[in-house]
Amino acid sequence: MLARINHLWRWCGTAFSFLMFGVGGILLPIIVVPVLYAMPGSVEQREARAQRVIHHAFRFYIGMMKFLGVLSYELENVEKLRDARLILANHPTLIDVIFLIALVPNANCVVKGKLIRNPFTRGPIKTAGYIVNEDNEKVIGAAGEAFAKGHALIVFPEGTRTTPGTDLKLKRGAANVAIRTAADITPVLISCTPTTLTKQDRWYQVPASRVHIRIRVNDTIPVAPYLHDITPSLAARKLTADLADYFGKELKVYEQSAVGSEADDYRCARS
């Protein structure tokens, strides 16, 4: 009986969270974006302000979901994001980007082209200077400009959410950005237990137990070794293969540690 009540509460909390996200998507372009455009300053200053607004909005949103009992989370080594340039992460759930932007005040992102045509997301994306993924060469050029402005760029090298139980398949775009801009990589490992909000899940398919998000920031991967005596295209291909191997091995260990931690918690609760 208690389990059913808990599940119903989390279902309601999830529905409320999605409703609030939709309301925020309406209010941000209607109220906040015009205010940011009316404030004095350069385009770079406006982008920085918009990024901070979205950063704090997402911090509030995550705190709200935790307060409602929709999810819990733990963070490791997030201080390594402080001076990050190119942040690469696996993508197990829809809310990964919300967590990452909430952790990085100067975050820039590569977003899908269809979002710039959405009236609720077009304004915030343009104001924050987010990069639209419609042309590879333009993305690389925009990434270089973002780094010059002091932005940290968040990219999911898979290009879409991970399908549970399958190996990661990385696209070459993230490696091309790293090679062509000589940007060192800050890898981020994300686990979500139980799985939720994958490509196969709908928002109302709330898991039987509360979702727990774990995020760990690993040591920087220098890109310099890939820049010598090799063409950019071959370097990007090699870096992509190495990143796929890296994330595959690191995630396997990370997810196994999550299972072990949950088992320990269960034994403690039973004792």
Side-chain angles (χ1 to χ4, degrees):
M1 184 64 179
L2 288 176
R4 289 183 180 180
I5 293 173
N6 178 269
H7 187 268
L8 177 61
W9 172 262
R10 287 185 294 103
W11 191 96
C12 293
T14 300
F16 180 76
S17 297
F18 270 86
L19 174 63
M20 289 300 294
F21 192 88
V23 170
I26 295 172
L27 294 181
L28 198 63
I30 291 177
I31 298 175
V32 178
V33 171
V35 171
L36 291 172
Y37 269 92
M39 295 175 68
S42 64
V43 172
E44 290 185 19
Q45 289 174 317
R46 185 173 67 233
E47 289 177 353
R49 290 168 186 155
Q51 289 170 4
R52 286 196 296 270
V53 167
I54 297 172
H55 162 74
H56 288 294
F58 282 178
R59 281 177 65 91
F60 170 81
Y61 186 73
I62 289 170
M64 180 194 72
M65 289 191 291
K66 183 178 180 180
F67 176 77
L68 292 172
V70 171
L71 55 76
S72 61
Y73 62 87
E74 59 182 294
L75 310 173
E76 299 177 58
N77 305 328
V78 292
E79 68 278 359
K80 294 179 180 179
L81 292 172
R82 190 173 297 121
D83 298 317
R85 296 183 71 200
L86 180 58
I87 301 169
L88 302 188
N90 62 305
H91 197 7
T93 179
L94 182 65
I95 56 178
D96 301 331
V97 67
I98 295 176
F99 270 91
L100 290 178
I101 292 178
L103 293 172
V104 183
N106 61 328
N108 199 320
C109 300
V110 177
V111 300
K112 293 181 179 180
K114 65 180 182 181
L115 294 179
I116 200 68
R117 294 184 286 274
N118 185 315
F120 298 118
T121 57
R122 179 173 60 243
I125 287 172
K126 292 183 67 177
T127 309
Y130 289 167
I131 299 170
V132 181
N133 188 11
E134 290 186 317
D135 180 271
N136 289 336
E137 288 299 319
K138 289 183 179 179
V139 167
I140 294 169
E145 293 174 4
F147 294 143
K149 295 174 183 177
H151 299 178
L153 183 60
I154 297 171
V155 180
F156 297 108
E158 297 169 89
T160 187
R161 277 169 281 170
T162 310
T163 301
T166 63
D167 294 333
L168 270 66
K169 296 180 180 179
L170 307 190
K171 296 185 177 180
R172 213 171 296 168
N176 271 314
V177 169
I179 295 296
R180 300 277 292 277
T181 63
D184 290 338
I185 295 165
T186 301
V188 179
L189 308 179
I190 304 174
S191 72
C192 177
T193 311
T195 59
T196 187
L197 298 177
T198 66
K199 288 191 294 184
Q200 292 77 29
D201 295 328
R202 299 292 180 263
W203 72 263
Y204 51 81
Q205 294 174 315
V206 177
S209 59
R210 183 175 59 174
V211 170
H212 185 63
I213 305 286
R214 297 173 73 226
I215 297 178
R216 187 176 78 192
V217 185
N218 279 4
D219 292 337
T220 299
I221 300 174
V223 74
Y226 296 89
L227 302 180
H228 303 293
D229 303 323
I230 190 171
T231 64
S233 60
L234 290 176
R237 185 178 303 173
K238 185 177 189 307
L239 179 55
T240 300
D242 288 349
L243 286 172
D245 184 63
Y246 174 88
F247 273 99
K249 291 178 179 177
E250 290 290 322
L251 283 169
K252 186 175 181 179
V253 174
Y254 191 51
E255 290 167 356
Q256 286 176 346
S257 70
V259 173
S261 177
E262 288 177 2
D264 289 342
D265 292 343
Y266 176 77
R267 284 192 291 269
C268 289
R270 295 276 294 178
S271 59

PDB file of all heavy atoms in Angstrom, residues 31-52:
ATOM      1  N   ILE A  31       8.910  37.107 -20.908  1.00  0.00           N
ATOM      2  CA  ILE A  31       9.278  38.071 -19.872  1.00  0.00           C
ATOM      3  C   ILE A  31      10.786  38.293 -19.794  1.00  0.00           C
ATOM      4  O   ILE A  31      11.267  39.428 -19.855  1.00  0.00           O
ATOM      5  CB  ILE A  31       8.744  37.598 -18.501  1.00  0.00           C
ATOM      6  CG1 ILE A  31       7.212  37.514 -18.526  1.00  0.00           C
ATOM      7  CG2 ILE A  31       9.207  38.549 -17.395  1.00  0.00           C
ATOM      8  CD1 ILE A  31       6.608  36.952 -17.258  1.00  0.00           C
ATOM      9  N   VAL A  32      11.554  37.218 -19.662  1.00  0.00           N
ATOM     10  CA  VAL A  32      12.982  37.359 -19.383  1.00  0.00           C
ATOM     11  C   VAL A  32      13.767  37.828 -20.599  1.00  0.00           C
ATOM     12  O   VAL A  32      14.607  38.732 -20.485  1.00  0.00           O
ATOM     13  CB  VAL A  32      13.555  36.022 -18.855  1.00  0.00           C
ATOM     14  CG1 VAL A  32      15.054  36.145 -18.600  1.00  0.00           C
ATOM     15  CG2 VAL A  32      12.836  35.601 -17.580  1.00  0.00           C
ATOM     16  N   VAL A  33      13.525  37.243 -21.754  1.00  0.00           N
ATOM     17  CA  VAL A  33      14.304  37.594 -22.949  1.00  0.00           C
ATOM     18  C   VAL A  33      14.171  39.073 -23.300  1.00  0.00           C
ATOM     19  O   VAL A  33      15.197  39.746 -23.556  1.00  0.00           O
ATOM     20  CB  VAL A  33      13.898  36.691 -24.137  1.00  0.00           C
ATOM     21  CG1 VAL A  33      14.536  37.211 -25.433  1.00  0.00           C
ATOM     22  CG2 VAL A  33      14.328  35.253 -23.881  1.00  0.00           C
ATOM     23  N   PRO A  34      12.965  39.660 -23.331  1.00  0.00           N
ATOM     24  CA  PRO A  34      12.878  41.103 -23.612  1.00  0.00           C
ATOM     25  C   PRO A  34      13.644  41.958 -22.606  1.00  0.00           C
ATOM     26  O   PRO A  34      14.236  42.981 -22.974  1.00  0.00           O
ATOM     27  CB  PRO A  34      11.368  41.378 -23.545  1.00  0.00           C
ATOM     28  CG  PRO A  34      10.732  40.071 -23.869  1.00  0.00           C
ATOM     29  CD  PRO A  34      11.622  39.044 -23.247  1.00  0.00           C
ATOM     30  N   VAL A  35      13.628  41.549 -21.334  1.00  0.00           N
ATOM     31  CA  VAL A  35      14.376  42.295 -20.314  1.00  0.00           C
ATOM     32  C   VAL A  35      15.872  42.244 -20.603  1.00  0.00           C
ATOM     33  O   VAL A  35      16.578  43.260 -20.511  1.00  0.00           O
ATOM     34  CB  VAL A  35      14.077  41.738 -18.906  1.00  0.00           C
ATOM     35  CG1 VAL A  35      15.005  42.365 -17.871  1.00  0.00           C
ATOM     36  CG2 VAL A  35      12.633  41.991 -18.526  1.00  0.00           C
ATOM     37  N   LEU A  36      16.374  41.065 -20.972  1.00  0.00           N
ATOM     38  CA  LEU A  36      17.796  40.924 -21.279  1.00  0.00           C
ATOM     39  C   LEU A  36      18.188  41.774 -22.482  1.00  0.00           C
ATOM     40  O   LEU A  36      19.276  42.370 -22.508  1.00  0.00           O
ATOM     41  CB  LEU A  36      18.129  39.454 -21.543  1.00  0.00           C
ATOM     42  CG  LEU A  36      18.060  38.521 -20.324  1.00  0.00           C
ATOM     43  CD1 LEU A  36      18.230  37.065 -20.755  1.00  0.00           C
ATOM     44  CD2 LEU A  36      19.110  38.885 -19.291  1.00  0.00           C
ATOM     45  N   TYR A  37      17.310  41.838 -23.488  1.00  0.00           N
ATOM     46  CA  TYR A  37      17.609  42.649 -24.666  1.00  0.00           C
ATOM     47  C   TYR A  37      17.556  44.140 -24.340  1.00  0.00           C
ATOM     48  O   TYR A  37      18.254  44.950 -24.969  1.00  0.00           O
ATOM     49  CB  TYR A  37      16.622  42.340 -25.794  1.00  0.00           C
ATOM     50  CG  TYR A  37      17.100  41.248 -26.719  1.00  0.00           C
ATOM     51  CD1 TYR A  37      16.758  39.921 -26.503  1.00  0.00           C
ATOM     52  CD2 TYR A  37      17.910  41.542 -27.813  1.00  0.00           C
ATOM     53  CE1 TYR A  37      17.203  38.909 -27.345  1.00  0.00           C
ATOM     54  CE2 TYR A  37      18.363  40.544 -28.668  1.00  0.00           C
ATOM     55  CZ  TYR A  37      18.006  39.225 -28.422  1.00  0.00           C
ATOM     56  OH  TYR A  37      18.456  38.238 -29.253  1.00  0.00           O
ATOM     57  N   ALA A  38      16.722  44.527 -23.358  1.00  0.00           N
ATOM     58  CA  ALA A  38      16.590  45.940 -23.001  1.00  0.00           C
ATOM     59  C   ALA A  38      17.744  46.436 -22.136  1.00  0.00           C
ATOM     60  O   ALA A  38      18.003  47.642 -22.065  1.00  0.00           O
ATOM     61  CB  ALA A  38      15.271  46.167 -22.259  1.00  0.00           C
ATOM     62  N   MET A  39      18.443  45.521 -21.488  1.00  0.00           N
ATOM     63  CA  MET A  39      19.553  45.915 -20.616  1.00  0.00           C
ATOM     64  C   MET A  39      20.743  46.383 -21.451  1.00  0.00           C
ATOM     65  O   MET A  39      21.010  45.836 -22.525  1.00  0.00           O
ATOM     66  CB  MET A  39      19.953  44.749 -19.715  1.00  0.00           C
ATOM     67  CG  MET A  39      18.885  44.341 -18.720  1.00  0.00           C
ATOM     68  SD  MET A  39      19.353  42.858 -17.781  1.00  0.00           S
ATOM     69  CE  MET A  39      20.725  43.515 -16.799  1.00  0.00           C
ATOM     70  N   PRO A  40      21.473  47.403 -20.980  1.00  0.00           N
ATOM     71  CA  PRO A  40      22.642  47.882 -21.740  1.00  0.00           C
ATOM     72  C   PRO A  40      23.762  46.848 -21.729  1.00  0.00           C
ATOM     73  O   PRO A  40      23.871  46.036 -20.814  1.00  0.00           O
ATOM     74  CB  PRO A  40      23.056  49.147 -20.974  1.00  0.00           C
ATOM     75  CG  PRO A  40      22.532  48.945 -19.584  1.00  0.00           C
ATOM     76  CD  PRO A  40      21.252  48.161 -19.741  1.00  0.00           C
ATOM     77  N   GLY A  41      24.580  46.891 -22.762  1.00  0.00           N
ATOM     78  CA  GLY A  41      25.706  45.966 -22.827  1.00  0.00           C
ATOM     79  C   GLY A  41      25.857  45.376 -24.210  1.00  0.00           C
ATOM     80  O   GLY A  41      24.991  45.521 -25.084  1.00  0.00           O
ATOM     81  N   SER A  42      26.957  44.673 -24.419  1.00  0.00           N
ATOM     82  CA  SER A  42      27.269  44.058 -25.709  1.00  0.00           C
ATOM     83  C   SER A  42      26.529  42.736 -25.873  1.00  0.00           C
ATOM     84  O   SER A  42      25.882  42.237 -24.943  1.00  0.00           O
ATOM     85  CB  SER A  42      28.776  43.814 -25.807  1.00  0.00           C
ATOM     86  OG  SER A  42      29.174  42.870 -24.813  1.00  0.00           O
ATOM     87  N   VAL A  43      26.663  42.165 -27.059  1.00  0.00           N
ATOM     88  CA  VAL A  43      26.066  40.850 -27.326  1.00  0.00           C
ATOM     89  C   VAL A  43      26.671  39.807 -26.382  1.00  0.00           C
ATOM     90  O   VAL A  43      25.949  38.954 -25.851  1.00  0.00           O
ATOM     91  CB  VAL A  43      26.302  40.445 -28.796  1.00  0.00           C
ATOM     92  CG1 VAL A  43      25.854  39.001 -29.024  1.00  0.00           C
ATOM     93  CG2 VAL A  43      25.548  41.381 -29.729  1.00  0.00           C
ATOM     94  N   GLU A  44      27.966  39.874 -26.171  1.00  0.00           N
ATOM     95  CA  GLU A  44      28.627  38.915 -25.275  1.00  0.00           C
ATOM     96  C   GLU A  44      28.096  39.033 -23.854  1.00  0.00           C
ATOM     97  O   GLU A  44      27.882  38.022 -23.176  1.00  0.00           O
ATOM     98  CB  GLU A  44      30.145  39.138 -25.293  1.00  0.00           C
ATOM     99  CG  GLU A  44      30.800  38.739 -26.604  1.00  0.00           C
ATOM    100  CD  GLU A  44      32.313  38.863 -26.554  1.00  0.00           C
ATOM    101  OE1 GLU A  44      32.862  38.904 -25.430  1.00  0.00           O
ATOM    102  OE2 GLU A  44      32.942  38.922 -27.622  1.00  0.00           O
ATOM    103  N   GLN A  45      27.876  40.262 -23.384  1.00  0.00           N
ATOM    104  CA  GLN A  45      27.339  40.453 -22.044  1.00  0.00           C
ATOM    105  C   GLN A  45      25.910  39.913 -21.946  1.00  0.00           C
ATOM    106  O   GLN A  45      25.533  39.320 -20.932  1.00  0.00           O
ATOM    107  CB  GLN A  45      27.377  41.938 -21.675  1.00  0.00           C
ATOM    108  CG  GLN A  45      28.781  42.467 -21.433  1.00  0.00           C
ATOM    109  CD  GLN A  45      28.798  43.970 -21.221  1.00  0.00           C
ATOM    110  OE1 GLN A  45      28.122  44.729 -21.919  1.00  0.00           O
ATOM    111  NE2 GLN A  45      29.593  44.422 -20.245  1.00  0.00           N
ATOM    112  N   ARG A  46      25.122  40.132 -23.012  1.00  0.00           N
ATOM    113  CA  ARG A  46      23.751  39.621 -23.015  1.00  0.00           C
ATOM    114  C   ARG A  46      23.750  38.099 -22.997  1.00  0.00           C
ATOM    115  O   ARG A  46      22.954  37.471 -22.275  1.00  0.00           O
ATOM    116  CB  ARG A  46      22.996  40.137 -24.243  1.00  0.00           C
ATOM    117  CG  ARG A  46      21.510  39.745 -24.237  1.00  0.00           C
ATOM    118  CD  ARG A  46      20.762  40.407 -25.375  1.00  0.00           C
ATOM    119  NE  ARG A  46      21.183  39.908 -26.664  1.00  0.00           N
ATOM    120  CZ  ARG A  46      21.595  40.681 -27.669  1.00  0.00           C
ATOM    121  NH1 ARG A  46      21.674  41.981 -27.531  1.00  0.00           N
ATOM    122  NH2 ARG A  46      21.941  40.143 -28.828  1.00  0.00           N
ATOM    123  N   GLU A  47      24.641  37.474 -23.761  1.00  0.00           N
ATOM    124  CA  GLU A  47      24.727  36.013 -23.764  1.00  0.00           C
ATOM    125  C   GLU A  47      25.111  35.487 -22.382  1.00  0.00           C
ATOM    126  O   GLU A  47      24.538  34.498 -21.903  1.00  0.00           O
ATOM    127  CB  GLU A  47      25.741  35.554 -24.812  1.00  0.00           C
ATOM    128  CG  GLU A  47      25.274  35.746 -26.247  1.00  0.00           C
ATOM    129  CD  GLU A  47      26.334  35.344 -27.258  1.00  0.00           C
ATOM    130  OE1 GLU A  47      27.477  35.035 -26.856  1.00  0.00           O
ATOM    131  OE2 GLU A  47      26.032  35.345 -28.465  1.00  0.00           O
ATOM    132  N   ALA A  48      26.081  36.147 -21.747  1.00  0.00           N
ATOM    133  CA  ALA A  48      26.520  35.711 -20.415  1.00  0.00           C
ATOM    134  C   ALA A  48      25.373  35.817 -19.407  1.00  0.00           C
ATOM    135  O   ALA A  48      25.186  34.930 -18.570  1.00  0.00           O
ATOM    136  CB  ALA A  48      27.713  36.541 -19.959  1.00  0.00           C
ATOM    137  N   ARG A  49      24.605  36.916 -19.479  1.00  0.00           N
ATOM    138  CA  ARG A  49      23.463  37.076 -18.575  1.00  0.00           C
ATOM    139  C   ARG A  49      22.417  35.986 -18.817  1.00  0.00           C
ATOM    140  O   ARG A  49      21.869  35.420 -17.872  1.00  0.00           O
ATOM    141  CB  ARG A  49      22.835  38.457 -18.766  1.00  0.00           C
ATOM    142  CG  ARG A  49      23.693  39.609 -18.274  1.00  0.00           C
ATOM    143  CD  ARG A  49      23.123  40.925 -18.767  1.00  0.00           C
ATOM    144  NE  ARG A  49      23.992  42.047 -18.429  1.00  0.00           N
ATOM    145  CZ  ARG A  49      24.017  43.196 -19.114  1.00  0.00           C
ATOM    146  NH1 ARG A  49      23.225  43.353 -20.179  1.00  0.00           N
ATOM    147  NH2 ARG A  49      24.826  44.170 -18.733  1.00  0.00           N
ATOM    148  N   ALA A  50      22.131  35.727 -20.089  1.00  0.00           N
ATOM    149  CA  ALA A  50      21.133  34.707 -20.424  1.00  0.00           C
ATOM    150  C   ALA A  50      21.580  33.327 -19.944  1.00  0.00           C
ATOM    151  O   ALA A  50      20.772  32.547 -19.425  1.00  0.00           O
ATOM    152  CB  ALA A  50      20.880  34.684 -21.929  1.00  0.00           C
ATOM    153  N   GLN A  51      22.870  33.026 -20.113  1.00  0.00           N
ATOM    154  CA  GLN A  51      23.386  31.739 -19.648  1.00  0.00           C
ATOM    155  C   GLN A  51      23.247  31.597 -18.139  1.00  0.00           C
ATOM    156  O   GLN A  51      22.890  30.534 -17.634  1.00  0.00           O
ATOM    157  CB  GLN A  51      24.848  31.576 -20.076  1.00  0.00           C
ATOM    158  CG  GLN A  51      25.026  31.352 -21.569  1.00  0.00           C
ATOM    159  CD  GLN A  51      26.476  31.446 -22.010  1.00  0.00           C
ATOM    160  OE1 GLN A  51      27.380  31.604 -21.191  1.00  0.00           O
ATOM    161  NE2 GLN A  51      26.710  31.343 -23.319  1.00  0.00           N
ATOM    162  N   ARG A  52      23.499  32.679 -17.416  1.00  0.00           N
ATOM    163  CA  ARG A  52      23.364  32.624 -15.955  1.00  0.00           C
ATOM    164  C   ARG A  52      21.910  32.470 -15.541  1.00  0.00           C
ATOM    165  O   ARG A  52      21.602  31.759 -14.581  1.00  0.00           O
ATOM    166  CB  ARG A  52      23.978  33.872 -15.321  1.00  0.00           C
ATOM    167  CG  ARG A  52      25.503  33.883 -15.317  1.00  0.00           C
ATOM    168  CD  ARG A  52      26.049  34.913 -14.352  1.00  0.00           C
ATOM    169  NE  ARG A  52      25.679  36.265 -14.753  1.00  0.00           N
ATOM    170  CZ  ARG A  52      26.410  37.028 -15.557  1.00  0.00           C
ATOM    171  NH1 ARG A  52      27.551  36.571 -16.056  1.00  0.00           N
ATOM    172  NH2 ARG A  52      26.014  38.255 -15.853  1.00  0.00           N
TER     173      ARG A  52
END
